[in-house]
Amino acid sequence: MAEITVRPMASDDADRVLAIYQAGLDGGDASFETTAPTWTAFDEARLPDHRFVAVDGDESVIGWIAVSPTSARAVYAGVVEHSIYVDPAAQGRGVARLLLDTLIASTEAAGIWTIQSGVFPENTASLALHQRAGFRVIGTRERVGRHHGRWRDVILLERRSPVIT
């Protein structure tokens, strides 16, 4: 198995990041979104200091993680929502955990105390990953939105940093 490394996301990664995003959306259990945004929209919605890509031995991007602020209010400056996507061909190789561990270290170093996410209950691999990384379920939003013609629940997860007090 080729070595996997993580580095900061760059604008040169845009095509691969958006292709991996679209592949996740096409799988049907990643998001209410059905089409990946433009790079400009992606770039504007995510904090620049907490975006990472996983690359294989040949430097091909095989996964990404990024955060968005949850609110413009100052009191929530230490709370972010993250997204994580891995190329279907690279799943099961520890890519998501490596990305998530990198994000946790990055956000904690910046004083961010809570990372949150919403996951469809059917996405059991994501739920297990988050649980292993110290996230806890804080609730379920039942029938919160329609996706491909059916109502979907979303499980809310959060990880409160044990080092930010």
Side-chain angles (χ1 to χ4, degrees), residues 3 5 15 30 36 53 63 67-68 75 80-81 88-89 94 99-100 114 116-117 119 124-125 131 140 144 155 162 165:
E3 183 178 339
T5 58
D15 289 343
V53 292
V67 300
S68 302
V75 70
V80 295
E81 181 171 359
L99 285 164
L100 194 52
T114 299
Q116 65 184 36
S117 190
V119 177
T124 56
Q131 182 179 18
T140 300
V144 71
I155 297 176
T165 57

Side-chain angles (χ1 to χ4, degrees), residues 20-87:
I20 291 167
Y21 196 176
Q22 188 62 56
L25 298 177
D26 290 345
D29 285 332
S31 173
F32 281 108
E33 301 298 326
T34 56
T35 305
T38 64
W39 180 253
T40 300
F42 181 98
D43 187 46
E44 290 173 354
R46 287 157 184 87
L47 298 176
D49 293 336
H50 308 289
R51 303 180 201 183
F52 300 95
V53 292
V55 295
D56 217 334
D58 65 359
E59 292 297 309
S60 295
V61 173
I62 58 174
W64 63 268
I65 194 166
V67 300
S68 302
T70 59
S71 174
R73 295 178 61 197
V75 70
Y76 294 113
V79 182
V80 295
E81 181 171 359
H82 84 289
S83 296
I84 183 169
Y85 287 80
V86 175
D87 184 318

Side-chain angles (χ1 to χ4, degrees), residues 9-28:
M9 186 185 295
S11 58
D12 289 348
D13 299 320
D15 289 343
R16 278 296 296 148
V17 165
L18 295 178
I20 291 167
Y21 196 176
Q22 188 62 56
L25 298 177
D26 290 345

Side-chain angles (χ1 to χ4, degrees), residues 124-152:
T124 56
S126 182
L127 293 171
L129 164 74
H130 285 88
Q131 182 179 18
R132 288 190 306 272
F135 284 72
R136 68 185 181 100
V137 173
I138 58 172
T140 300
R141 297 182 74 194
E142 296 178 358
R143 297 172 46 94
V144 71
R146 292 182 66 78
H147 182 245
H148 297 298
R150 68 181 175 113
W151 288 103
R152 299 291 297 263

